Amino acid sequence: MSKTILVTGAGRGLGRTLAERLSARGDTVIAHARSESALAGVPHAKALVADLAEPGTLADAVAAAGVERLDALVHNAGVLNVNSVEDETLEWWQRTLAVNVVAVAELTRLLLPALRAARGHVVFLNSGAGLNAAPKLASYAASKHALKAIADALRAEERGNGLRVTSLYPSHFDTDMQRGLRDQYDSDYDPARAMSPESVAAQITAVLDAPADMVVNDLRSEPPNPLPISPKS
């Protein structure tokens, strides 16, 4: 049976790959991006256009999309900046927490009636940084630790309503964010030693397809031989 699934950050990278995969198998995809133009070429039935850096705009965007029943919400969008606690700017702290935490909580809140109607599934794309904070990733890691807290609280609160909640912790997969992170660390990068977006999208799809009598609460994954993040020699 086909599902209605909202994917945030669907304009590129993993979000785009996931939207393509879900659409190809017959699911109805609601694709989120900051602009309509960002969704050019992305298969989708509806668009949710909103800037997650401005969580206050989400209520109008959700109302405009007219989502009454939602089988799954995949929180994929996120931002990252590499900087020490000493040097990280207030602007980046505010942007990171707005996009990675506040917007996620607000979008989930707004879509809860539609998710409850379908006894749906909320998937949070977390990170290894959501479990262990590395040097120069304080703002990003803090946001991902907060994301874990949102997922854990939501799971406990919504069990009685039939909602399933999953946190995924994929590490080292080939995206613009991973490349940008390596650039900011001045570190080598080898996509052959990273997971592909297709592999991570397949993992998400498998989690969404779990039998109705089970849920995957937390799942970690990484490539067999990831390239460490270290300065170029």
Side-chain angles (χ1 to χ4, degrees):
M1 177 181 290
S2 65
K3 300 176 181 179
T4 298
I5 301 172
L6 194 158
V7 180
T8 67
R12 61 179 185 171
L14 175 61
R16 187 184 189 102
T17 300
L18 183 60
E20 291 170 347
R21 183 182 184 91
L22 295 172
S23 294
R25 71 178 200 163
D27 289 326
T28 298
V29 173
I30 304 172
H32 158 267
R34 282 184 292 176
S35 66
E36 288 275 6
S37 60
L39 294 173
V42 178
H44 61 283
K46 286 185 178 181
L48 178 69
V49 178
D51 185 352
L52 299 183
E54 300 291 339
T57 66
L58 287 172
D60 288 342
V62 169
V67 183
E68 297 182 358
R69 183 181 175 88
L70 190 62
D71 294 291
L73 167 59
V74 180
H75 287 294
N76 164 72
V79 295
L80 175 152
N81 191 49
V82 174
N83 222 341
S84 65
V85 173
E86 179 182 13
D87 295 326
E88 185 64 291
T89 65
L90 177 60
E91 178 183 3
W92 263 109
W93 272 107
Q94 291 174 329
R95 177 173 176 77
T96 302
L97 294 176
V99 173
N100 294 1
V101 181
V102 181
V104 171
E106 175 67 354
L107 186 58
T108 303
R109 182 187 72 81
L110 292 166
L111 290 169
L112 269 178
L115 286 160
R116 288 169 177 160
R119 297 178 70 86
H121 198 158
V122 185
V123 176
F124 295 84
L125 260 292
N126 207 299
S127 163
L131 300 171
N132 297 286
K136 297 189 176 182
L137 280 183
S139 59
Y140 181 68
S143 74
K144 291 301 186 178
H145 276 69
L147 192 65
K148 180 183 185 302
I150 294 171
D152 290 347
L154 182 69
R155 184 182 301 113
E157 292 164 2
E158 293 295 327
R159 278 196 178 106
N161 292 316
L163 263 68
R164 297 188 287 176
V165 178
T166 300
S167 287
L168 299 179
Y169 299 87
S171 178
H172 297 283
F173 67 99
D174 187 22
T175 63
D176 290 342
M177 179 180 284
Q178 182 68 210
R179 293 172 185 270
L181 182 151
R182 301 283 177 150
D183 286 344
Q184 290 186 70
Y185 270 108
D186 192 30
S187 175
D188 289 322
Y189 181 64
D190 181 0
R193 293 174 66 177
M195 294 183 292
S196 70
E198 290 77 16
S199 292
V200 180
Q203 180 186 67
I204 296 168
T205 304
V207 166
L208 293 174
D209 288 345
D213 63 350
M214 67 165 284
V215 60
V216 177
N217 290 339
D218 298 278
L219 184 61
R220 297 186 68 178
S221 58
E222 64 180 7
N225 184 27
L227 184 67
I229 299 174
S230 56
K232 295 177 182 177
S233 55

